[in-house]
Amino acid sequence: MVSIKSSFLKYFALILSAILVSMGFPGYDFPVLGIGAIIPFALIPLILSIKTLPRKYSEHSNLKKHFAQISPRKRAFSAFFAIWFFGFVLQLIAFFWISQPIIYFSTLKPYFAYPLYIAISVFTSLYFPFLFSPLILQTWLESKYSNKKLPIIAIAMTMTLFEIIAPRFFNWTFGSLMHSETQINQISSVFGFNIISFFIFYTSLTLSDALLKFSKNKSLLISTTCINLLIWGIIFTFGYFRINNINESLVNAKSTRIAFVQPNFTFNSIASAPLPSLTSQQQSLSRLLEMSREAVQKSIAKDGRKPDLIIWPESGTHSFYTLDNAEITATKQFSASVQVPILVQATKWDKADLKKVGYEKARVWSSSFLIRPDGSKSKDFDKWVPMPFGESVPFEKYFPKLGIYYRNIFENASKVEIGTSYDALAYTEKDFVAPLICFDSIDPNLPRLETLKGKASIFVNQANFVWMVKSNAGLEFSILNKFRSIENARSLVMVSNTGPTMAFDPLGRVILQPTPLLTQETGFVDVPISNEMTVYTMFSNWPLIILGLISLIWLFIAANKSAYDNR
């Protein structure tokens, strides 16, 4: 039996699990290295720590030392704490970039910002005991009813259900951390990226169980390893053949050329500390137009072909762009001069509110729209997911004063209304671009609806990561874009104000390598257009949700049966 008995080893195992999981996150420095293959085994130290929690404690009397049973409640609480501690360490490592906007865009000094980030991590890490609550239930059950077990498949599927119905901040999943394994990722086109989480949970749980029983049943570890290898082999084989089949169609598929502008507007005027960029520039329409012309010229210089569309990033235009007729006219004139439409992201104001309550209290939306060469403007697409703590405050819908108090502390925070449309925008007679403004990519349902009902030919994610400064936040965000591409079989171009700018084909493969952070960049990319309607696009997460609900019922039945059998 593999057992972790000492407190030191248990904490070491919890920290090790957190480090192994963080290695799945993309980044530039250890441990965030984007190594997805390690994730199916990353939770094993955590699970072993929970499984080997002590059942008895020693008591001393005048006569001799004896042992007393630890109550099921205390043992379950120990499991709760172990999972929380694991999550806390993971949060500190993988999301350290959250400290950057606190330092650079608030009035707080670093010696307040870092403790604040630690305090935030203390609370956000409470998510992990919720996600792993079936393991806490298992710990309580086996303590109370003599090693009674819950079905491992039901535990893994219930945890997957919780991951779907209560997504964590940034909506990363354990499955998304396998982003580097392109063949494995293809199963997302059937069930979405949460299905990979299920297999990760299942592998970690079954191998942990086999390790615990190794001294008594050595063959169990061999058989369990073989079963898991077979499962992952089937998933890999599915992905291998899907890639080969789709490759054949993509070779002959129509492509569209997308030009991009990464202006590196770093907003030093509102930053509380100088940003680490040597090529930053002030927000300027004339500079956007100049860089757009440069992108068009690069395209023509390559093979004489103009881009089909120019993308401006989020925050490329100033806050009152949509109210500035001179700037709108200048944009239309430029589009007409190069004969290329432009996808613009800008702040949209409620004009009636402006007259009634003024700029301070008027409702605003973050919107994308096309400026076409013929001078027309498309309908607006309004952002669905305002950035938490930047454009919205969690729960302020129910507690309005919470939002007011927060914005009094962080003066650069705003309030953005939520959009409802999923219609893609026609940039040619037959091609439609589906905007995803910044955090919209974290909502799998939006790009799915844009594909299923909105006629999306391609996705474009317009982003602005200036708030995260020179961190790995943009790369962490890009893996969600990768899975949105795979789930819906659509190419996706991510254009960021300060980088990274990159692109994925319908199989989630990188076709434009990420640009450097905090730099000015222009260029173009040819992306294939796919018309495939995937199983996931048609049915969303409902197959997994139904299986998860069945598993949750199965757990309760198994738990009650254990209680009944011990009467």
Side-chain angles (χ1 to χ4, degrees):
M1 175 177 177
V2 176
S3 180
I4 305 175
K5 293 183 178 180
S6 76
S7 295
F8 172 79
L9 287 178
K10 285 188 183 297
Y11 279 106
F12 176 80
L14 297 175
I15 293 171
L16 176 61
S17 250
I19 291 174
L20 291 175
V21 172
S22 68
M23 289 174 71
F25 287 90
Y28 305 99
D29 303 298
F30 180 84
V32 285
L33 300 174
I35 305 174
I38 203 171
I39 300 303
F41 316 103
L43 294 174
I44 291 176
L46 167 66
I47 296 170
L48 288 176
S49 294
I50 295 170
K51 291 283 189 179
T52 58
L53 286 168
R55 298 171 181 271
K56 298 179 179 181
Y57 66 96
S58 62
E59 287 185 337
H60 295 271
S61 66
N62 293 330
L63 299 175
K64 63 177 182 178
K65 178 181 178 180
H66 63 276
F67 293 90
Q69 197 78 20
I70 295 177
S71 71
R73 182 180 298 177
K74 286 185 177 180
R75 200 159 178 267
F77 179 78
S78 296
F80 176 96
F81 178 80
I83 295 168
W84 171 84
F85 182 78
F86 152 81
F88 175 65
V89 176
L90 174 60
Q91 177 77 22
L92 288 179
I93 297 172
F95 292 97
F96 184 74
W97 55 262
I98 293 176
S99 63
Q100 301 306 291
I102 301 175
I103 292 172
Y104 285 95
F105 292 96
S106 77
T107 56
L108 299 179
K109 300 298 182 183
Y111 50 80
F112 283 122
Y114 290 122
L116 177 60
Y117 170 61
I118 292 173
I120 291 171
S121 298
V122 166
F123 288 102
T124 56
S125 300
L126 292 172
Y127 174 86
F128 292 93
F130 162 75
L131 178 63
F132 291 103
S133 56
L135 292 181
I136 300 174
L137 173 63
Q138 171 74 76
T139 303
W140 177 85
L141 193 66
E142 67 185 10
S143 302
K144 190 174 181 65
Y145 298 115
S146 305
N147 293 317
K148 290 294 180 179
K149 303 291 184 182
L150 296 176
I152 287 179
I153 291 179
I155 291 175
M157 185 54 74
T158 301
M159 287 160 58
T160 305
L161 172 68
F162 291 166
E163 200 177 53
I164 294 172
I165 64 175
R168 57 183 66 75
F169 172 71
F170 220 57
N171 199 21
W172 68 271
T173 66
F174 282 92
S176 70
L177 299 184
M178 290 196 72
H179 59 94
S180 60
E181 311 305 311
T182 303
Q183 287 82 3
I184 297 295
N185 298 160
Q186 300 309 310
I187 197 173
S188 302
S189 64
V190 181
F191 296 108
F193 69 161
N194 293 99
I195 188 62
I196 305 176
S197 296
F198 165 74
F199 290 113
I200 290 171
F201 297 148
Y202 178 81
T203 296
S204 292
L205 287 165
T206 54
L207 287 178
S208 298
D209 190 59
L211 286 169
L212 285 170
K213 299 173 180 176
F214 182 72
S215 61
K216 296 180 179 180
N217 188 353
K218 293 181 175 60
S219 62
L220 179 61
L221 180 59
I222 297 173
S223 61
T224 301
T225 301
C226 290
I227 290 171
N228 278 286
L229 287 174
L230 177 62
I231 290 172
W232 288 104
I234 292 172
I235 297 171
F236 181 91
T237 302
F238 168 81
Y240 175 82
F241 282 105
R242 173 170 169 77
I243 289 172
N244 285 348
N245 290 335
I246 299 297
N247 262 338
E248 295 179 6
S249 62
L250 291 182
V251 169
N252 300 314
K254 175 185 175 183
S255 69
T256 185
R257 179 166 291 184
I258 307 298
F260 63 85
V261 173
Q262 179 181 305
N264 196 29
F265 294 150
T266 46
F267 310 107
N268 279 306
S269 60
I270 62 172
S272 54
L275 300 179
S277 174
L278 299 177
T279 63
S280 62
Q281 53 186 340
Q282 291 186 342
Q283 195 178 47
S284 163
L285 178 65
S286 61
R287 183 59 182 146
L288 272 179
L289 298 178
E290 182 182 340
M291 295 182 74
S292 298
R293 189 175 299 278
E294 180 182 300
V296 172
Q297 290 170 346
K298 285 181 178 180
S299 174
I300 295 174
K302 180 184 179 182
D303 55 13
R305 177 183 169 187
K306 289 191 300 186
D308 299 306
L309 180 64
I310 299 171
I311 307 297
W312 289 355
E314 183 185 33
S315 303
T317 59
H318 65 76
S319 299
F320 302 103
Y321 174 84
T322 56
L323 303 177
D324 192 327
N325 290 329
E327 295 215 341
I328 293 288
T329 300
T331 307
K332 290 180 177 180
Q333 290 173 344
F334 174 82
S335 177
S337 70
V338 296
Q339 285 296 293
V340 181
I342 304 172
L343 183 66
V344 180
Q345 184 281 328
T347 300
K348 182 175 72 175
W349 298 81
D350 186 308
K351 295 182 179 179
D353 279 359
L354 287 175
K355 295 179 180 178
K356 292 179 181 178
V357 297
Y359 294 111
E360 293 280 330
K361 297 182 179 180
R363 292 180 300 163
V364 297
W365 291 259
S366 176
S367 301
S368 289
F369 51 86
L370 288 169
I371 298 292
R372 301 189 179 100
D374 63 2
S376 64
K377 173 183 172 295
S378 72
K379 63 185 292 186
D380 295 332
F381 168 85
D382 298 328
K383 187 177 189 177
W384 276 39
V385 187
M387 183 175 71
F389 303 105
E391 298 169 330
S392 66
V393 178
F395 307 113
E396 71 173 317
K397 178 180 179 181
Y398 309 101
F399 307 101
K401 289 185 178 179
L402 183 64
I404 296 172
Y405 179 73
Y406 176 83
R407 292 182 182 92
N408 285 337
I409 298 175
F410 299 96
E411 297 177 357
N412 296 320
S414 60
K415 182 178 181 181
V416 173
E417 303 297 324
I418 297 173
T420 56
S421 173
Y422 45 74
D423 291 334
L425 311 176
Y427 66 97
T428 71
E429 291 184 1
K430 297 182 179 180
D431 300 324
F432 295 79
V433 58
L436 299 166
I437 304 174
C438 199
F439 262 60
D440 281 344
S441 286
I442 75 172
D443 183 355
N445 197 44
L446 172 55
R448 188 186 73 83
L449 289 173
E450 288 177 321
T451 305
L452 183 66
K453 299 181 179 181
K455 300 181 180 180
S457 305
I458 62 168
F459 299 137
V460 167
N461 180 215
Q462 296 165 286
N464 178 23
F465 297 116
V466 67
W467 319 109
M468 291 74 172
V469 198
K470 204 165 188 177
S471 70
N472 66 323
L475 290 181
E476 288 188 3
F477 196 78
S478 73
I479 67 177
L480 300 179
N481 282 324
K482 174 180 180 130
F483 280 99
R484 300 298 88 88
S485 290
I486 298 171
E487 289 167 344
N488 301 286
R490 294 295 183 272
S491 295
L492 186 149
V493 182
M494 181 174 89
V495 180
S496 171
N497 170 36
T498 57
T501 291
M502 57 193 305
F504 303 93
D505 73 1
L507 293 168
R509 296 175 299 191
V510 177
I511 54 177
L512 175 66
Q513 292 299 321
T515 56
L517 299 180
L518 297 176
T519 60
Q520 299 176 27
E521 302 284 342
T522 61
F524 63 92
V525 58
D526 294 324
V527 299
I529 291 180
S530 167
N531 296 315
E532 179 188 0
M533 200 66 68
T534 66
V535 174
Y536 175 80
T537 299
M538 292 185 287
F539 297 105
S540 186
N541 281 319
W542 281 110
L544 287 185
I545 292 173
I546 292 171
L547 289 173
L549 291 172
I550 293 172
S551 297
L552 184 60
I553 295 170
W554 186 7
L555 282 184
F556 280 115
I557 292 174
N560 288 330
K561 185 176 184 300
S562 297
Y564 178 80
D565 289 345
N566 280 269
R567 288 177 183 175

